[in-house]
Amino acid sequence: MTVLMSALSWVAYQERLQDDSLVLLLPCGALEQHGPHLPLGTDALLSAAIAQSVATNLNGLVAPTLSYGYKSQPKSGGGQHFPGTTSLDGQSLSQITRDVIREFARHGVKNLVVVDGHYENQWFLTEGIDLAMRELGTAHPLSIMRLEYWDFCTEETLSHVFPDGFPGFALEHAAVIETSLMLHFCPDLVALDRLPTIAPANFPPYDMYPTRTEWVPQSGVLSSAKGASAEKGRLMAEQLTESITKAIRHEFSSVQ
Ligand code: ZN
Ligand code: MN
């Protein structure tokens, strides 16, 4: 049975919605440089892959990914100066989010999970959710969970993935976590022979506008992905799927 909403007819979709335990997952990514070794769609591909594996654990359906995200920031995604990075204004992202949530609510969706794979999206997704909820009113039965998937990594998983100590999520752009997950989910899209070996970027505790592109490593990678492996990707994917599934079962009363 497919978990893809886009593969269903409206009739089949409506039938699935008769069951109150249905969970709709909305993956959100970006089209953003991810170094010379990972594809531009990495954040969209990973949020969709994780949403799909969670959906198979539940009575889940995955909506088409929001594949463009908010502007890449130098200290978290390398910045906007790379070819390929294609971003939305914050208001555009918030409004697309609001619009699709309003449509899902009209269909009768009661359990929605927004699965974010691009750090810079988070407040604009939050704004879209808030605008939709305000419009729907408090009597509407829709509940929404918003999450950034990496926040579900446990200490134990991180200690396996980073045996020499976890440097923190801040510089994990196109680095060990994303490269390992891509080696697990989409191995054909990873160019391991192009993996840059660099020292972690060292940013000051402030931002400058126009962007100081010279702060950002030329490769676009913010710390080395040298320790990445498909095995680490599998370990993370399994633990993330299990933990996200558990949180959904905990928060949505109609979901077992
Ligand atoms: Zn990313
Ligand atoms: Mn990103």
Side-chain angles (χ1 to χ4, degrees):
M1 194 163 65
T2 183
V3 296
L4 299 180
M5 176 186 171
S6 60
L8 298 180
S9 70
W10 76 266
V11 178
Y13 175 62
Q14 193 183 45
E15 277 165 18
R16 295 287 302 273
L17 280 167
Q18 301 310 306
D19 186 339
D20 273 354
S21 71
L22 182 85
V23 180
L24 185 67
L25 298 106
L26 174 65
C28 303
L31 193 59
E32 179 189 43
Q33 74 78 22
H34 273 74
H37 64 297
L38 292 178
L40 295 165
T42 293
D43 292 351
L45 291 163
L46 290 180
S47 57
I50 289 165
Q52 285 176 38
S53 51
V54 171
T56 58
N57 277 345
L58 302 159
N59 178 18
L61 274 182
V62 180
T65 308
L66 293 186
S67 300
Y68 296 91
Y70 181 65
K71 293 157 199 163
S72 184
Q73 299 299 300
K75 287 152 64 177
S76 47
Q80 281 294 118
H81 58 289
F82 290 88
T85 297
T86 310
S87 307
L88 301 174
D89 285 348
Q91 192 184 17
S92 309
L93 178 58
S94 298
Q95 298 208 333
I96 290 174
T97 306
R98 179 204 60 189
D99 292 354
V100 297
I101 292 173
R102 182 173 48 202
E103 291 291 79
F104 297 148
R106 177 177 65 78
H107 308 157
V109 171
K110 295 189 183 71
N111 311 307
L112 176 66
V113 181
V114 176
V115 181
D116 185 18
H118 175 59
Y119 177 82
E120 289 86 338
N121 281 347
Q122 89 171 261
W123 295 111
F124 301 100
L125 297 176
T126 301
E127 175 69 356
I129 291 168
D130 187 64
L131 294 174
M133 295 301 265
R134 192 166 71 188
E135 210 175 298
L136 293 167
T138 47
H140 199 283
L142 176 66
S143 297
I144 304 175
M145 174 185 287
R146 198 216 79 241
L147 63 90
E148 275 71 46
Y149 71 75
W150 51 85
D151 286 336
F152 285 79
C153 277
T154 61
E155 295 278 330
E156 198 196 340
T157 299
L158 290 172
S159 72
H160 286 297
V161 176
F162 298 94
D164 302 326
F166 178 48
F169 287 112
L171 297 178
E172 268 303 310
H173 178 71
V176 174
I177 292 178
E178 286 183 318
T179 304
S180 297
L181 286 170
M182 285 295 285
L183 283 168
H184 171 66
F185 284 119
C186 315
D188 296 347
L189 300 182
V190 183
L192 272 184
D193 55 323
R194 305 200 64 178
L195 206 73
T197 44
I198 53 147
N202 187 17
F203 295 112
Y206 52 83
D207 299 309
M208 289 298 294
Y209 308 93
T211 299
R212 298 284 164 81
T213 54
E214 68 274 18
W215 289 0
V216 180
Q218 268 194 337
S219 66
V221 176
L222 300 186
S223 61
S224 178
K226 254 285 182 255
S229 72
E231 175 55 24
K232 288 178 179 179
R234 186 189 60 79
L235 180 81
M236 279 188 284
E238 287 175 0
Q239 186 257 298
L240 290 170
T241 300
E242 192 188 316
S243 301
I244 294 171
T245 304
K246 202 172 149 198
I248 293 171
R249 290 199 172 113
H250 180 71
E251 294 298 339
F252 295 99
S253 50
S254 59
V255 180
Q256 288 87 46

